[in-house]
Amino acid sequence: MNAIVGAIHLGGFVSTPRDYITTKLGLDKTTTAWEFLRSKYAKHFGFGIEVRGRAPHFESTREMRHRAMEAVDLALKHYGDMLIKADVQVKEGRLRKEEDMVTGYDIDFSLDWDYSKPVLIEITYDRENRSYRIMSLVYNHIIDGVPLALYTHLIHNHLVLGKASLLSHSKRTFPFSYKFHLWDSGTLPDKKSWLRLNCLGESDLLPIGSQIDVTGSNILKLRNKIALEIGQNVSNSSVEIALLSLEMGITWATDYIAQGDQNSKRQVDVQKGYRGLGMVRTHLSDDISNADPSTQYRWICNAVKDAAKEMNLERTGNGHASRFYTQYRKINRFFVNLFDRRISHQDVMSVAGTQLIGSNLNGIDYGVPLFVDGITPDDMKFIFIPSHGEHNDKTKDERSKRSLTTHVTEVSFACGPKIKESNGRSTVYKSLKVLPQKADNILLAWGHARDKIKSLSQAEKVKQVFMDAYRPDNPNMGRIEKRAGLYLEL
């Protein structure tokens, strides 16, 4: 066991009496392992829904915004155990082509936003083409991806159905309102902090994503092959994270999975409540990427088998990672910051495990009808911008003074809900965030010329990594699909 990890376990054990007393007195700012980790590391992300050719008619953007704000108010009334107040802006405009990749946090920051809100929701109304896009962004992970997707589902349903919507007739109640904790920052976002999202520095991650045709995907076939071989149901995201780790030379990975009701194993019913994210961690030996394919395949099988067991435990917050972070959150904040600001990057990863983060919104039951009033799966697309982990600004400054790496996450991966069209084709929105420095190393390892890489901007480097990994123009030629195909042949 890493010495820092051992010290955290010990420190959490020693702090248990104090933690118990402060919790009972209501003095502890965080209550769960995930809440603690989110307040320390997890940052901005987004989720969106596009409807093409079937949008209802609105006389004006003002009318559309009124109905959207009506949805927000009703959502807080019936889902206030997991949602908070959001600002909504509506503009008219043309939606981009479906095959276009989405770069950055794709909302218009020039609109008249209330920048103190940690959730911004932009609706683009394409009147001429009877289309619209709802794009939601969260600052500093104040709510999770599952509630954000729920928010967007509810607004879509209410925009289309109005007084006949799920929200208009909901009887759902909850005992406690959602409380968010700004453990490190201490303040709500402002305009400057929101605008910084689209500024790319050496320790920032830029999101790139696109619709991917996953019909006949080798990743899904490999998942099924592994499931048969180990005699256990496995998550597709666990397999994809293993493939990404091997392809990109990544050692530490964490797969975020939604926690739901106590009886939920594979699917989370959000209508029954939501308890945050569980964390399934994988550690890859540094030399496995140089091993022969059969050795790598055996490693994937073992890693996925362990992840499947942990996933069931993490659904209820009882996995190894949740138990560890429960101990970590008990330690005095001074010592936690001391660790973050002074320990080596390898020790940071042993504690945070966020070199690669994965999130998958498939297999979650939101209970909100999406295909209503003539809208079909052919008319809808999803967007999912992944979260990432990073040190707070004070910690970055302290680490920089000591010539320590200032980043936590190098790559973040997200997979939106799958859409199956009437022609039998299936698409999934996949996206990556990549640290520019890591993008350099990945592209070099993938055979790109050093001079060519130097000529690219940071955003172009990240885009090239995504293109090579997933090839939205020809998914079967993407490096991740080809690697999955390699193991299918064994």
Side-chain angles (χ1 to χ4, degrees):
M1 179 186 291
N2 177 278
I4 297 293
V5 172
I8 289 171
H9 274 292
L10 178 61
F13 176 77
V14 171
S15 302
T16 295
R18 176 188 54 80
D19 177 73
Y20 177 80
I21 293 170
T22 54
T23 301
K24 284 293 184 183
L25 292 175
L27 301 175
D28 197 11
K29 291 187 176 181
T30 59
T31 58
T32 68
W34 165 242
E35 195 173 74
F36 165 78
L37 191 65
R38 176 178 65 191
S39 65
K40 283 295 297 174
Y41 298 117
K43 301 300 176 186
H44 335 291
F45 63 96
F47 181 81
I49 288 177
E50 291 186 357
V51 174
R52 293 178 180 265
R54 295 280 185 171
H57 175 74
F58 290 93
E59 292 293 337
S60 65
T61 55
R62 180 180 297 179
E63 180 191 3
M64 195 177 196
R65 184 175 187 271
H66 174 77
R67 187 175 293 184
M69 291 303 297
E70 189 176 64
V72 168
D73 291 339
L74 287 169
L76 293 177
K77 179 180 178 181
H78 296 294
Y79 295 88
D81 51 337
M82 58 189 88
L83 302 179
I84 59 176
K85 186 74 172 179
D87 190 30
V88 179
Q89 297 295 329
V90 180
K91 69 174 185 180
E92 286 205 43
R94 298 291 295 271
L95 296 187
R96 63 179 169 270
K97 294 182 293 184
E98 288 188 50
E99 63 268 22
D100 286 352
M101 287 195 288
V102 181
T103 303
Y105 297 88
D106 194 25
I107 69 171
D108 185 352
F109 285 114
S110 68
L111 298 177
D112 188 23
W113 294 105
D114 177 357
Y115 283 105
S116 68
K117 294 289 189 299
V119 179
L120 303 183
I121 300 173
E122 179 185 296
I123 302 175
T124 302
Y125 182 36
D126 188 346
R127 184 191 304 272
E128 182 180 339
N129 293 307
R130 289 192 61 195
S131 303
Y132 66 77
R133 182 193 67 171
I134 308 170
M135 191 68 227
S136 309
L137 290 187
V138 173
Y139 187 81
N140 273 7
H141 214 130
I142 287 178
I143 65 173
D144 289 341
V146 173
L148 185 66
L150 171 67
Y151 224 151
T152 314
H153 283 46
L154 291 167
I155 291 171
H156 156 72
N157 180 273
H158 193 74
L159 283 176
V160 176
L161 297 180
K163 292 181 179 179
S165 72
L166 176 75
L167 282 171
S168 296
H169 296 276
S170 177
K171 300 295 192 295
R172 187 181 185 276
T173 59
F174 50 91
F176 303 107
S177 294
Y178 178 76
K179 294 181 181 179
F180 61 92
H181 303 288
L182 300 167
W183 195 80
D184 273 317
S185 63
T187 59
L188 288 167
D190 56 15
K191 184 174 182 178
K192 183 178 179 181
S193 58
W194 270 113
L195 292 178
R196 190 184 178 279
L197 262 62
N198 276 333
C199 298
L200 188 60
E202 63 179 14
S203 63
D204 296 302
L205 285 84
L206 181 76
I208 305 280
S210 179
Q211 306 292 338
I212 307 291
D213 188 335
V214 297
T215 312
S217 168
N218 287 334
I219 300 168
L220 299 176
K221 293 175 183 176
L222 181 61
R223 189 269 312 269
N224 294 336
K225 176 183 177 181
I226 292 172
L228 285 173
E229 188 156 324
I230 66 176
Q232 191 170 352
N233 287 320
V234 298
S235 164
N236 183 59
S237 63
S238 296
V239 175
E240 192 146 358
I241 283 173
L243 295 169
L244 283 164
S245 296
L246 289 168
E247 193 66 32
M248 295 181 171
I250 286 171
T251 301
W252 295 272
T254 300
D255 190 6
Y256 288 154
I257 55 110
Q259 294 181 6
D261 59 288
Q262 296 295 314
N263 296 320
S264 175
K265 293 297 182 184
R266 298 189 61 201
Q267 190 173 57
V268 174
D269 183 351
V270 180
Q271 299 294 325
K272 295 179 181 178
Y274 171 76
R275 294 173 176 81
L277 293 177
M279 299 148 282
V280 180
R281 296 183 57 180
T282 301
H283 182 268
L284 173 67
S285 63
D286 293 334
D287 59 351
I288 194 71
S289 59
N290 297 320
D292 62 273
S294 61
T295 300
Q296 291 176 347
Y297 176 67
R298 287 195 300 273
W299 174 84
I300 293 174
C301 287
N302 291 331
V304 168
K305 187 173 184 178
D306 290 342
K309 293 176 183 176
E310 280 296 299
M311 192 163 289
N312 286 335
L313 291 171
E314 286 290 348
R315 286 286 187 220
T316 55
N318 293 311
H320 286 91
S322 286
R323 296 202 306 273
F324 169 69
Y325 291 121
T326 295
Q327 298 290 70
Y328 196 17
R329 76 165 182 81
K330 296 176 185 177
I331 297 173
N332 185 281
R333 189 184 311 175
F334 171 82
F335 293 107
V336 171
N337 288 334
L338 192 69
F339 289 158
D340 277 355
R341 293 172 187 178
R342 288 165 174 80
I343 61 178
S344 70
H345 184 63
Q346 182 166 332
D347 286 333
V348 170
M349 289 305 169
S350 294
V351 172
T354 57
Q355 187 183 8
L356 167 64
I357 293 177
S359 302
N360 191 331
L361 290 180
N362 285 293
I364 297 170
D365 181 7
Y366 297 95
V368 182
L370 294 179
F371 307 116
V372 293
D373 200 29
I375 294 173
T376 72
D378 293 3
D379 308 318
M380 185 173 289
K381 298 295 179 186
F382 295 107
I383 299 168
F384 186 24
I385 299 173
S387 179
H388 65 280
E390 66 178 33
H391 293 297
N392 63 45
D393 289 340
K394 290 182 179 178
T395 297
K396 283 183 180 180
D397 290 342
E398 290 296 322
R399 292 184 65 82
S400 181
K401 289 177 187 176
R402 293 168 172 80
S403 299
L404 295 169
T405 51
T406 57
H407 60 275
V408 176
T409 305
E410 292 182 343
V411 179
S412 187
F413 160 76
C415 185
K418 183 166 70 172
I419 291 283
K420 187 167 185 178
E421 300 173 357
S422 58
N423 61 7
R425 309 297 294 179
S426 294
T427 59
V428 167
Y429 187 89
K430 294 187 180 184
S431 55
L432 294 176
K433 283 182 181 175
V434 184
L435 184 76
Q437 178 185 336
K438 182 64 176 179
D440 280 357
N441 297 336
I442 290 172
L443 293 174
L444 279 172
W446 289 355
H448 289 264
R450 189 179 299 273
D451 289 345
K452 181 183 177 182
I453 295 171
K454 283 184 177 180
S455 69
L456 299 176
S457 69
Q458 291 179 329
E460 288 170 338
K461 292 175 187 177
V462 176
K463 185 175 182 179
Q464 190 64 57
V465 170
F466 182 82
M467 276 296 298
D468 285 10
Y470 286 109
R471 287 291 302 274
D473 60 324
N474 188 0
N476 289 333
M477 297 304 295
R479 296 184 71 97
I480 307 303
E481 281 286 344
K482 288 199 290 186
R483 181 173 280 273
L486 176 68
Y487 302 128
L488 284 173
E489 297 173 357
L490 299 176

